[in-house]
């Protein structure tokens, strides 16, 4: 593709230069003159032939970006929602949002589908785009050769907050990935202080629990992201803001200001209630 494009680009530039150097006044050539045939051949027929040839050549390369068959049994399910990515690890009881942890050096098959409109999942550092379509499951393989946090982005317009629909893939060495798996597979949601207990009561006593799940509590809503381990995530609102206590407080009070059109309504908590709620959520690690 690159060589083909380079040759064509050089040819076009050369023809432009010839045109500039052999310029003969402002007159357009008369109809039926050799100039017209030249344009028809080089402008239509040659490009059509070249594009077909390049397509045929690239058919061979497509399988190289396809899901691998030897994935060491690690599969991640991603369900795109209009305003976030719902992430789960089948058979391991792990559910997260907007963040996919993978081990370095292991190809991980990511199965993607959509719960509402069409999206497209794209983590440029790890693989090509994959369409995310309701009622259909597509698979893309993420194979990180070094540890790091790789940003992904929804690559198909999906509504007012399409641009704020990012996610992060966090590639970790095997040992720390295993530690993450072990930690995520059980909820650490029992408050360990009076302040955190108050925060949990505020959460469970408000509307939050109708949309969000916190494993180990009565909160089991599925409209919004699972919050069981929200304290361990690096961003909020699908990569819109970093996960800091201040940003979380701002998000809870007025999510429509940060991400207009999303499904989360604002709340009217006083300062100390908000502080307790934020402390509790950030403690969910
Ligand atoms: Cu989801 Cu664009």
């Amino acid at each position: 593709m690159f060589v083909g494009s380079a040759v064509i680009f050089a040819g076009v530039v050369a023809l432009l230069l010839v045109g500039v150097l052999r310029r003969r006044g402002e007159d357009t050539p008369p109809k039926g003159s050799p100039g017209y045939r030249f344009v028809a051949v080089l402008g239509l027929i040659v490009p059509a032939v070249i594009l077909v040839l390049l397509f045929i050549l690239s058919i061979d390369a497509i399988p190289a970006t396809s899901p691998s068959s030897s994935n060491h049994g690690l599969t991640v399910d991603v369900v795109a929602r209009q305003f976030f990515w719902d992430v789960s690890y089948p058979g391991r009881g792990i559910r997260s949002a907007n963040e996919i942890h993978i081990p370095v050096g292991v190809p991980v098959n990511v199965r993607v589908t959509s719960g509402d409109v069409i999206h497209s999942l794209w983590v440029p550092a790890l693989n090509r785009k994959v369409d995310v379509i309701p009622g259909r499951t597509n698979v893309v393989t993420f194979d990180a050769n070094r540890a790091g946090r790789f940003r992904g982005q929804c690559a198909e317009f999906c509504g007012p907050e399409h641009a704020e629909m990012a996610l992060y893939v966090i590639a970790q060495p095997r040992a720390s990935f295993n530690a993450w798996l072990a930690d995520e597979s059980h909820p650490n949601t029992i408050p360990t202080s009076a302040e955190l207990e108050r925060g949990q009561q505020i959460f469970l006593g408000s509307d939050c629990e109708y949309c969000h799940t916190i494993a180990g509590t009565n909160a089991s809503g599925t409209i919004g992201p699972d919050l069981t381990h929200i304290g361990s995530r690096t961003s909020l609102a699908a990569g819109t803001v970093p996960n800091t206590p201040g940003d979380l407080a701002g998000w809870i009070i007025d999510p429509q200001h940060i991400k207009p059109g999303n499904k989360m309504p604002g709340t009217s908590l006083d300062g100390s209630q908000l502080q307790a709620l934020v402390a509790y959520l950030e403690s969910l690690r």
Side-chain angles (χ1 to χ4, degrees):
M1 282 287 178
F2 178 73
V3 171
S5 312
V7 169
I8 292 165
F9 181 69
V12 170
V13 170
L15 285 174
L16 266 176
L17 287 175
V18 170
V20 168
L21 294 174
R22 293 185 53 192
R23 191 156 180 259
R24 288 170 296 189
E26 304 294 332
D27 293 346
T28 46
K31 265 218 155 82
S33 73
Y36 276 95
R37 208 175 319 130
F38 185 76
V39 169
V41 171
L42 275 184
L44 290 171
I45 298 169
V46 170
V49 170
I50 290 175
L51 286 176
V52 169
L53 284 177
L54 284 177
F55 174 69
I56 292 170
L57 282 173
S58 69
I59 288 176
D60 253 9
I62 292 172
T65 63
S66 295
S68 86
S69 47
S70 62
N71 64 349
H72 301 252
L74 191 58
T75 298
V76 179
D77 282 332
V78 174
V79 181
R81 308 267 171 204
Q82 204 177 359
F83 301 102
F84 72 102
W85 307 91
D86 197 343
V87 177
S88 58
Y89 290 68
R92 295 170 193 267
I94 296 173
R95 196 158 158 249
S96 184
N98 310 317
E99 222 166 80
I100 302 173
H101 285 246
I102 62 171
V104 172
V106 178
V108 177
N109 280 350
V110 180
R111 298 191 297 209
V112 295
T113 189
S114 171
D116 40 48
V117 298
I118 295 173
H119 308 261
S120 174
L121 174 62
W122 189 28
V123 185
L126 298 179
N127 209 332
R128 61 178 166 85
K129 296 173 188 174
V130 61
D131 286 335
V132 184
I133 299 167
R136 194 192 147 89
T137 300
N138 287 332
V139 185
V140 63
T141 300
F142 289 162
D143 189 358
N145 55 15
R146 62 182 170 89
R149 189 174 82 143
F150 304 100
R151 189 183 162 96
Q153 177 68 42
C154 181
E156 173 102 25
F157 182 73
C158 57
E161 292 303 335
H162 160 65
E164 301 285 18
M165 191 173 174
L167 83 168
Y168 289 100
V169 175
I170 294 169
Q172 299 169 287
R174 190 79 219 205
S176 59
F177 173 75
N178 285 345
W180 179 85
L181 271 186
D183 200 54
E184 291 281 311
S185 56
H186 63 88
N188 307 307
T189 49
I190 298 168
T192 52
S193 73
E195 169 85 342
L196 299 183
E197 171 130 32
R198 185 160 167 256
Q200 188 188 53
Q201 279 164 4
I202 290 163
F203 185 92
L204 297 174
S206 69
D207 293 340
C208 310
E209 62 163 337
Y210 299 117
C211 294
H212 294 285
T213 291
I214 296 180
T217 73
N218 287 334
S220 56
T222 55
I223 294 170
D226 188 296
L227 302 181
T228 306
H229 292 275
I230 187 178
S232 70
R233 304 211 281 259
T234 59
S235 74
L236 299 170
T240 307
V241 289
N243 185 8
T244 66
D247 286 293
L248 180 55
W251 173 255
I252 292 169
I253 288 298
D254 193 2
Q256 295 301 322
H257 177 74
I258 295 172
K259 195 165 171 173
N262 88 83
K263 287 184 181 160
M264 180 154 151
T267 42
S268 51
L269 300 169
D270 68 34
S272 94
Q273 287 174 318
L274 183 62
Q275 215 163 13
L277 178 57
V278 167
Y280 173 64
L281 291 172
E282 295 289 6
S283 79
L284 302 178
R285 303 187 74 86

